[in-house]
Amino acid sequence: YIHQEDYAEKLRPRTEEELRAIQEEEEREVADATAKHETAGMIAAEALEVLLQRCRPGASVAALCEQGDALVADGLRKMFPDKAWMLDRQVNASDFSTKFSGGDRVRVKANQLEVQEGEIGIGFP
């Protein structure tokens, strides 16, 4: 339900000054969101670099996942301390799905490591 006064306020013509202020606020919000995404991307890239060094034939996939989660969580806690409480939420196995269901029994196989010059990656058949 929308109150008629609220709707009328949204529809009223804006002055140039109001439009400029609205545009500046939107630009600030976009810049803030972009900066946060860039920071999160850097944290993820740093975690991936560490994990790729640990990813060897015979390594436990579950252990690598746990290490990756810990690296990302630590990075996020440092960059966004005011949001750290979100990282402490208990995650249930039913909250997500994954193709790895073998727990600690699943190991990295030599043919799953596909690192080519100039890129990083892990391939899964």
Side-chain angles (χ1 to χ4, degrees):
Y1 177 75
I2 299 175
H3 291 286
Q4 190 171 5
E5 302 85 34
D6 295 339
Y7 188 68
E9 174 62 23
K10 289 183 182 219
L11 291 179
R12 78 169 175 76
R14 305 286 182 196
T15 65
E16 282 188 38
E17 186 176 304
E18 288 173 319
L19 291 173
R20 199 171 13 260
I22 290 170
Q23 183 178 6
E24 288 173 1
E25 177 62 26
E26 288 174 352
E27 289 172 358
R28 264 192 306 278
E29 289 174 4
V30 168
D32 288 347
T34 301
K36 288 177 183 176
H37 285 104
E38 288 175 352
T39 300
M42 289 187 323
I43 291 168
E46 289 170 4
L48 184 57
E49 285 289 337
V50 171
L51 289 176
L52 284 173
Q53 293 172 9
R54 297 176 183 175
C55 193
R56 300 284 179 250
S60 165
V61 172
L64 290 169
C65 289
E66 289 172 4
Q67 292 167 5
D69 289 348
L71 290 167
V72 170
D74 290 344
L76 291 173
R77 277 189 183 90
K78 290 174 187 169
M79 295 304 292
F80 306 106
D82 58 325
K83 305 285 185 191
W85 62 270
M86 291 185 211
L87 299 168
D88 296 327
R89 179 184 174 282
Q90 292 293 323
V91 178
N92 224 333
S94 62
D95 289 347
F96 59 92
S97 64
T98 178
K99 65 193 281 185
F100 296 114
S101 59
D104 200 38
R105 296 187 321 260
V106 178
R107 302 286 174 183
V108 175
K109 296 177 186 161
N111 66 349
Q112 292 174 314
L113 300 173
E114 298 175 355
V115 180
Q116 298 176 0
E117 188 174 327
E119 65 182 11
I120 55 176
I122 301 174
F124 297 98

